[in-house]
Amino acid sequence: MKSPLRPGDPPSLGGYRLLARLGEGGMGSVFLARRDDDGPLVAIKMIKPEYAYDEEFRARFRSEVKRAWQVPPFCTAAVLDADPEHRTPYLVVEYVDGPSLDEVVAREGPLADSRLHGVAVGVATALTAIHGAGVIHRDLKPQNVLFALGTPKVIDFGIARPLEVTSRHTRPDQMVGTVAYMAPERFDDAHRDITPAADIFAWGAVIAYAGTGRTPFRADSPVATAARILTQPPDLTGLHGSLAELVALALSKEPEDRPAAHELLQMLLAQNTGGQSIGRPLREAAEAAQLSGRHVSGGGDRPVPRPKKKRRGRLIAATAAATVLLAGAGFYARWPAEVDVNVQVKRSTPLAVMPVPGAVRGPWVVDALDRPGQWKSTTDAYGGKCSFKNGLAMTTPSFAMVCPGPAASFAGDQSISADITVTNERSCAEVQFRAAAESSYWLDLCPRIVRIRHEGTLRTTTLASADDAGFTPGQRHKVVLNLRDEVASVSVDGNSVLDAKLTDPSLPTGKVAFGVGPAGDEEVVAGAVVAHAEIRPTGNGTGPAGLAFTDVRRGTTKSIVAVRGYYPKSRSVVVEPVLFMTGDEYCRTFKLTPSSSNPCEQAWLTEDSKMVVTLPTSATPRLFSTFDDPGRCAGDPVTVGTCAIRPAELAERLGTNGLVELTTTDGVVTGMADVYTP
């Protein structure tokens, strides 16, 4: 609802003339504006002045802008412009001139038949686009579903966050969202990972409200509503047929029992063949969203992922029906056979290419562990020590200890591999995985026994073990731990050792760490060495044909990478290969139609590989920077640094998120030049 500007509101912002207020939230205000007298109306979200100098809020806004650009405008309000570095940062989005879902229901009553089905498809389409860009909305509710020319559009990514299950983005005493539409796991935000499944729960609550005029867990107070969400089944009286079944499935208490957004959309479109017409514009948007998502739905001719076996039979049947229907209609992604994405690389330099890890990419960690990088040297309070000698050397005089590694959480099917040595018969090497809060799984690698155990807050349970598995002390062994469909399989030197069923549904994801401990209860000096560690996703197929990242580990390469850490004293640098593309190339790659409402109009864009690699540097790498004078110290192809810089200065400038043109020879960094993008 529009309201007049207040006395303290600016008359203009970034060349846009502010006309009225549209709303206000905890982080900023939203204004109706236009750039020219005859230009289209837009909505501008501006951080409140009192927060503009708070680095936490500015960082959150910067993250929002980066992710919002990547969301295709399929049943979402398109991003048009942004300036995160402005004195009062702002984001410009399409103005949707229509009532919200809650206004429509309040005025006209519950929706029914094709109109209700259209809202269900429209919101699922928006979530497919949002999740496909790596974003979680986190505040889906009827007020954020607007009607434009009869087609629903989801708005307000104000608390959207990157799709990384470790990132909570709130302090322990904060809770973001609207209680009636919050998934059960949201009420335990300090201990449970928030995933896209939370948005699916909100979809179920929104559609239940649209079809019945009430929320499915309605109570007299927010506290009572939260209690019902946590303990009671939803009240879906008034919903009928297969849509009611999908809503019930979306409102499952456990996140893993809910369908993914693209699965949900497939099943809704399959239902639509029964006569629930949704209209051509909405169907075209739904089909386009299915082709756009790279985190869950993109990737050549890869079949649509099947739901987990533990889901109800009706989901499996519905998904199968949807798959047949969609395949027959040609809705699977079709990617160009060849795309030129290495525009920043001189063509005289041969490239070793690394295929996209999968449709659900990363995180993917590679570290030889021969120097500080993604793992660091540490000493604990009991004398345990993590250092680097022929690998990550771990010793402890008494209690078991771990050497913390990457902060990322690893979910789904994955492989953890490393070369591991225990120093004596009374030592055990440890691989901790899916570690979250006070719970985790452990792989114990001891000379006399190999086992997998689950450690909870109250007790520890052995899930599987194997005696005399050939893990000889003093010898280096290749250990591979594969996690697939909630089964952990262990091999040592290529020989299968054991399989264990993972039993804790609250641990679908978590951190990975290496450690060491005594083989028995006696106090001994235990030691182990880990080298050549790799943690990577598996079983997700490959990315679009022609889409490849430079493999900086092999051959002679020159490419653009994101630097996650540069340590001159250790002669090491942690990098993530990225694709550096013009807006036109980006939209050609991801099959977006050029317009002012998507990234096609941007000069340059990056696409992350999610593969983070620790590399050694040469003794005297050639280092260049733009300094503070890009006009003098920047060259082609974009503005790559040409002025020499000292290692410590470059490390400070790059921090943990700088872009550089990286030169390597056989996996050794021989040169870095920072990249300036005006």
Side-chain angles (χ1 to χ4, degrees), residues 172-193:
D173 59 346
Q174 293 177 325
M175 180 171 289
V176 184
T178 304
V179 170
Y181 304 92
M182 289 171 60
E185 62 268 24
R186 296 285 305 278
F187 299 101
D188 190 20
D189 203 26
H191 296 94
R192 296 195 65 178
D193 297 314

Side-chain angles (χ1 to χ4, degrees), residues 31-66:
F31 298 94
L32 180 67
R34 63 168 26 117
R35 182 180 290 277
D36 304 312
D37 290 339
D38 58 348
L41 292 171
V42 298
I44 299 183
K45 178 176 180 178
M46 180 187 75
I47 282 186
K48 292 181 178 180
E50 59 265 34
Y51 295 144
Y53 296 99
D54 185 314
E55 282 304 315
E56 177 185 355
F57 277 92
R58 186 175 283 272
R60 289 175 62 185
F61 193 85
R62 188 180 296 114
S63 174
E64 173 189 348
V65 168
K66 179 180 178 180

Side-chain angles (χ1 to χ4, degrees), residues 112-134:
D113 301 329
S114 61
R115 198 176 185 195
L116 176 60
H117 192 79
V119 172
V121 171
V123 179
T125 297
L127 290 182
T128 298
I130 291 168
H131 294 173

Side-chain angles (χ1 to χ4, degrees), residues 243-599:
L243 182 59
E245 292 185 344
L246 282 183
V247 169
L249 191 63
L251 294 174
S252 299
K253 304 297 185 191
E254 296 298 329
E256 59 266 29
D257 290 339
R258 304 170 204 149
H262 70 286
E263 294 174 332
L264 184 63
L265 182 56
Q266 287 175 347
M267 290 183 282
L268 287 166
L269 291 175
Q271 290 179 2
N272 187 63
T273 60
Q276 300 290 337
S277 175
I278 58 173
R280 181 175 178 180
L282 181 54
R283 174 173 282 282
E284 289 178 349
E287 294 170 5
Q290 289 183 309
L291 298 178
S292 71
R294 301 183 305 284
H295 286 263
V296 290
S297 58
D301 296 332
R302 182 178 61 87
V304 177
R306 293 186 179 182
K308 295 181 179 180
K309 294 179 180 178
K310 66 190 301 181
R311 291 188 187 153
R312 301 176 188 178
R314 66 170 179 267
L315 170 61
I316 297 174
T319 302
T323 300
V324 171
L325 289 167
L326 297 175
F331 292 163
Y332 289 152
R334 294 289 183 266
W335 296 90
E338 186 173 340
V339 181
D340 181 12
V341 294
N342 291 297
V343 297
Q344 79 286 355
V345 181
K346 294 180 180 179
R347 299 308 177 191
S348 60
T349 304
L351 287 178
V353 295
M354 178 186 71
V356 177
V360 181
R361 298 207 298 275
W364 186 338
V365 167
V366 178
D367 197 317
L369 297 177
D370 58 353
R371 67 196 65 221
Q374 298 175 75
W375 278 260
K376 306 292 190 299
S377 299
T378 58
T379 301
D380 69 14
Y382 302 99
K385 186 176 181 180
C386 305
S387 59
F388 292 90
K389 184 178 180 181
N390 300 320
L392 177 63
M394 307 173 291
T395 58
T396 178
S398 53
F399 302 102
M401 66 164 293
V402 297
C403 297
S409 275
F410 300 86
D413 293 348
Q414 62 191 267
S415 172
I416 304 168
S417 63
D419 294 339
I420 300 179
T421 308
V422 295
T423 57
N424 56 62
E425 291 188 355
R426 295 190 292 179
S427 299
C428 293
E430 313 280 1
V431 181
Q432 185 186 33
F433 60 101
R434 293 197 178 177
E438 301 300 319
S439 300
S440 62
Y441 294 103
W442 294 82
L443 169 60
D444 302 326
L445 298 158
C446 313
R448 292 188 177 89
I449 189 172
V450 173
R451 66 180 166 230
I452 291 179
R453 54 189 169 89
H454 171 260
E455 185 175 281
T457 55
L458 299 178
R459 64 180 181 179
T460 298
T461 305
T462 297
L463 304 179
S465 63
D467 297 330
D468 300 322
F471 204 76
T472 307
Q475 294 184 11
R476 176 175 288 197
H477 299 280
K478 182 69 173 182
V479 177
V480 179
L481 170 62
N482 282 313
L483 307 179
R484 185 176 180 84
D485 295 332
E486 302 306 310
V487 174
S489 302
V490 180
S491 67
V492 176
D493 298 327
N495 299 314
S496 179
V497 172
L498 59 82
D499 297 320
K501 176 70 175 177
L502 303 182
T503 57
D504 189 345
S506 70
L507 288 178
T509 180
K511 297 181 181 179
V512 172
F514 297 112
V516 65
D521 295 331
E522 69 273 16
E523 292 189 4
V524 298
V525 176
V529 179
V530 182
H532 301 292
E534 183 169 358
I535 310 165
R536 63 182 178 86
T538 60
N540 294 316
T542 60
L547 182 61
F549 298 91
T550 301
D551 189 342
V552 295
R553 301 168 295 173
R554 300 178 178 88
T556 299
T557 70
K558 181 176 286 188
S559 61
I560 303 297
V561 302
V563 173
R564 303 306 182 200
Y566 175 33
Y567 310 101
K569 291 183 179 180
S570 305
R571 294 185 183 176
S572 64
V573 59
V574 180
V575 303
E576 177 182 355
V578 301
L579 297 180
F580 195 73
M581 298 177 280
T582 66
D584 288 342
E585 287 169 323
Y586 185 94
C587 290
R588 193 165 66 244
T589 301
F590 297 115
K591 304 187 73 173
L592 299 178
T593 302
S595 74
S596 61
S597 62
N598 61 35

